[in-house]
Amino acid sequence: MNTIVTRFAPSPTGYLHIGGARTAIFNWLLARHHGGKFLLRIEDTDLVRSNADMTRSILDAMEWLGLSHDGEITYQSQRFDLYNEYIDKLLGTGHAYWCSCSPEEVEAMREEARAKGLKPKYSGRCREAGLGPGPARVVRLKAPVTGATVVDDMVKGSVSIDNAELDDMVLRRADGSPTYNLAVVVDDATMGVTHIIRGDDHLNNTPRQMLIYKALGFPLPRFGHVPMILGPDKKKLSKRHGATAVMEYETEGFLPEAMLNGLVRLGWACGDQEIFSREELVELFSTENLGSSAAVFDKAKLLWLNAHYIKESPAARLAVLVNAFLERKGLPSQDLEYLARVVPLLQPRAQTLAEMAEKAECFVVRTDDLVYDMAAVKKLFTNEVRGHLAAVRTLLEGIEPFDQAGLEQAVHAYMEERAIKFKLLAQPIRVAITGGTASPGLFETMEVMGKRRVLSRIDRALAL
RNA sequence: GUCCCCAUCGUCUAGUGGCCUAGGACGGCGGCCUCUCACGCCGCUAACAGGGGUUCAAAUCCCCUUGGGGACGCCA
């Protein structure tokens, strides 16, 4: 069996968005599953709209997702000579011809066809004119006018289009630059690409490209057109649906493995399995399981996946990531060892790293900076409670080691002696040391915070 | 307008003619656990777009309708 070669070919006119990332993932997976190659090509022929920063950001997003590519990156802007070489070849073999029709004239032809209720097309006026090169002339493909071209698609099955539907597309513009369809075919063929997974908005282009493959004598690759990703209103996903750029999700505190898992499940399934590690995906991926209907991107499910991966991650890794989020909030860089002890308490309680950083705040701020929920303080800190808090403070001072078991035992003993319910004091203590009414378990929180911090906070709370 | 694609719970999906009284997951709702908040666990909710065929048998195959999407560039 020949080695499988896939590719991802973004045009650097915007950030890597959800849809693009997903096709990149599918191509990457197909290559990795078969031990083939995954190539990267930047389609920057539109020099006006393309720029290097966008290329950089797309590369960053792919790296974040862990989509490693093989070999050098190909830039279309550096291959114009190659494209022209093949256009000349087509001219030489009679598969292409020069056309002197102006854009206005062509537009008129389209209008005419439209008026007749037909598909707007170029009429083929210069097809047999035997024109040579000249100013303002383009090169067109001499496409077959009869028969049909059928795409044997990996996801859509057999799709047939009448050649009469297609017109003689432009291969070289009047300014001498190659068009997209020509460049893509030359690139994919010369790069040795064997399998192309892309969005189904390209499905209509495929027969056209196949005609170029044929004219050039190139072997055809396999195509697979995956459906688009929709927003909650079932319209094509766009900015108004919220975050569409992959890296916005990093900013919101998503883990790359959650993103990968979430995206791959949009249009691909493997039985009832929901959670897939990168390795499992590589092992299990098959184009057989690609779905053919459009999918709505559901952030709630992505959040669930992210929460799952947060629970699975080693605390040390999360500590580093959370620290970055804390820094973004203007807090100084934290002691990572301390943070790594805080993290496990927060893992079951955060769906994103941003949320985790928020909850970590009360663990890391200076006692003087701790923000108290004053409504809770007012409601809970009765004189009686204040008395108990002071007593508990004294009690805690003597506990050594200051660990969960010891703390729990001591505090419970204190309550039992006085016949008070734990519930009565739990919330006041919580508010005193964390500032709020919701937190991880009281004793584990105390242990992680440490005696000094806990005592200073009770002191400050009593002074409120 | 013409051509192409698509159609299972609110969402992602399983399903490749009998295992379907349609399964799983997210969400929602209810409960259990419990020092708060979560986690976890248990239960409930909810779908084959409609109509015709084919077949002993159809969510699965065919046709039509409807509804969505896409393409028709000297953009990519």
Side-chain angles (χ1 to χ4, degrees), chain A residues 73-369:
Chain A
I73 299 175
T74 302
Y75 290 88
Q76 285 192 327
S77 57
Q78 296 169 3
R79 293 160 64 90
F80 278 32
D81 289 348
L82 183 71
Y83 305 137
N84 276 317
E85 202 178 291
Y86 281 99
I87 292 170
D88 290 342
K89 193 171 164 192
L90 250 16
L91 246 10
T93 56
H95 286 292
Y97 62 92
W98 289 95
C99 167
S100 63
C101 300
S102 70
E104 295 73 30
E105 287 170 314
V106 175
E107 187 42 46
M109 292 171 197
R110 284 196 242 276
E111 256 328 303
E112 198 184 322
R114 238 188 294 260
K116 286 187 199 155
L118 299 172
K119 192 156 205 156
K121 294 197 311 184
Y122 167 69
S123 72
R125 189 168 72 186
C126 301
R127 224 177 131 94
E128 307 300 340
L131 263 29
R137 287 188 184 175
V138 301
V139 175
R140 287 182 183 275
L141 181 77
K142 196 175 216 168
V145 289
T146 56
T149 298
V150 344
V151 187
D152 179 20
D153 197 273
M154 291 185 281
V155 348
K156 305 278 189 190
S158 176
V159 178
S160 170
I161 299 208
D162 280 347
N163 288 334
E165 290 293 323
L166 282 15
D167 61 2
D168 290 348
M169 77 192 109
V170 172
L171 302 175
R172 170 153 50 192
R173 302 188 185 97
D175 67 4
S177 64
T179 56
Y180 166 77
N181 282 121
L182 182 279
V184 165
V185 171
V186 170
D187 281 333
D188 285 331
T190 57
M191 288 165 78
V193 173
T194 60
H195 295 252
I196 298 172
I197 297 175
R198 54 179 18 167
D200 70 3
D201 47 333
H202 284 280
L203 185 53
N204 290 280
N205 262 330
T206 303
R208 298 166 163 279
Q209 292 179 9
M210 287 170 71
L211 294 180
I212 302 180
Y213 272 96
K214 216 173 147 194
L216 248 15
F218 287 139
L220 280 174
R222 290 299 310 274
F223 292 97
H225 290 92
V226 293
M228 329 243 308
I229 297 179
L230 275 23
D233 56 358
K234 303 237 180 200
K235 299 277 184 215
K236 190 172 172 172
L237 196 64
S238 70
K239 351 281 159 258
R240 71 199 163 77
H241 293 117
T244 53
V246 167
M247 293 312 269
E248 283 180 74
Y249 288 86
E250 187 214 17
T251 309
E252 289 184 26
F254 284 87
L255 258 15
E257 56 268 42
M259 206 66 201
L260 183 74
N261 195 153
L263 251 20
V264 86
R265 280 287 288 106
L266 236 45
W268 181 83
C270 185
D272 285 339
Q273 191 171 342
E274 295 286 350
I275 306 286
F276 297 89
S277 68
R278 177 180 304 273
E279 294 69 31
E280 277 179 302
L281 287 174
V282 168
E283 188 193 329
L284 299 170
F285 184 77
S286 160
T287 55
E288 295 287 306
N289 306 328
L290 283 172
S292 52
S293 59
V296 172
F297 179 68
D298 181 21
K299 198 162 175 180
K301 192 152 186 177
L302 186 64
L303 277 166
W304 170 76
L305 275 169
N306 204 47
H308 168 82
Y309 283 107
I310 282 178
K311 281 176 218 126
E312 302 272 289
S313 287
R317 175 195 179 205
L318 259 18
V320 174
L321 296 171
V322 167
N323 190 41
F325 276 82
L326 289 168
E327 286 178 332
R328 265 186 239 176
K329 295 169 84 118
L331 287 151
S333 189
Q334 302 298 319
D335 170 17
L336 292 178
E337 267 180 50
Y338 173 54
L339 212 45
R341 279 187 294 124
V342 172
V343 163
L345 306 196
L346 270 19
Q347 276 174 294
R349 297 178 168 79
Q351 287 191 298
T352 66
L353 296 172
E355 197 184 339
M356 189 176 273
E358 219 169 276
K359 291 189 183 347
E361 222 174 312
C362 73
F363 283 87
V364 305
V365 294
R366 294 165 44 219
T367 295
D368 287 346
D369 294 334

